[in-house]
Amino acid sequence: QVQLQASGGGLVQPGGSLRLSCAYSGITLDYYAIGWFRQAPGKEREGVSCISSVDGSTIDADSVQGRFAISRDSAKNTVYLQMNSLKPEDTAVYYCAVAPFVTLYADSYIDWGQGTQVTVSS
C-alpha cells in the first residue's frame, strides 16, 4: 500500500553534487517521517537525514551535516536529498523509508523503497 521509489543516483566526482528523489504514495498520518539511509558494501545501514511529514522539521547525521539537505515537495509527493561536497566515503546505495516519528534509527522504519546507487570517484 505504501510505495516509495528512490532515484537520481549516479557517478559523480569528489566535490560534486547530486540530488536524489523519493517519490511516494499511500502515506497516511500513521507515517510522520520520511528518511534517507545509505549502505555501503560490508557496512551497516546508516541513517542520513529525516524530515517530518507534519511540520517539515529535519535531522541529519553528523557525517553529512552541512553537506546534505533533505526537503519535500508535497504537491509532487516527493522528498529530495541534495548532496553537495561529495566524498568517496559517501559511496553507497541510498534508500528512502517511512517511520512513525522523526528518527535516524533504521529499526523504527516501517516501509522501504528500493535503493539508488551513488558512486563518488575520480
Side-chain angles (χ1 to χ4, degrees), residues 38 46-50 58-70 81-85 87 90 104:
R38 65 186 182 185
E46 175 191 18
V48 177
S49 295
C50 181
T58 64
I59 55 173
D60 301 310
D62 290 343
S63 59
V64 305
Q65 184 70 41
R67 299 189 299 119
F68 292 9
I70 191 170
L81 183 67
Q82 178 66 47
M83 305 185 295
N84 299 321
S85 301
K87 305 174 181 179
D90 295 319
L104 294 179

Side-chain angles (χ1 to χ4, degrees), residues 14-86:
S17 298
L18 206 59
R19 188 177 76 164
L20 306 183
S21 299
C22 176
Y24 60 86
S25 63
I27 302 298
T28 72
L29 292 177
D30 291 334
Y31 305 102
Y32 285 89
I34 300 177
W36 284 99
F37 289 76
R38 65 186 182 185
Q39 188 165 25
K43 300 184 68 175
E44 294 295 315
R45 189 164 296 189
E46 175 191 18
V48 177
S49 295
C50 181
I51 186 166
S52 169
S53 299
V54 178
D55 63 9
S57 61
T58 64
I59 55 173
D60 301 310
D62 290 343
S63 59
V64 305
Q65 184 70 41
R67 299 189 299 119
F68 292 9
I70 191 170
S71 62
R72 65 176 181 175
D73 186 337
S74 59
K76 296 182 178 180
N77 289 342
T78 302
V79 171
Y80 302 98
L81 183 67
Q82 178 66 47
M83 305 185 295
N84 299 321
S85 301
L86 283 161

Side-chain angles (χ1 to χ4, degrees), residues 106-121:
D107 286 353
S108 295
Y109 283 74
I110 298 171
D111 290 293
W112 296 78
Q114 293 187 329
T116 184
Q117 176 71 49
V118 172
T119 302
V120 184
S121 176

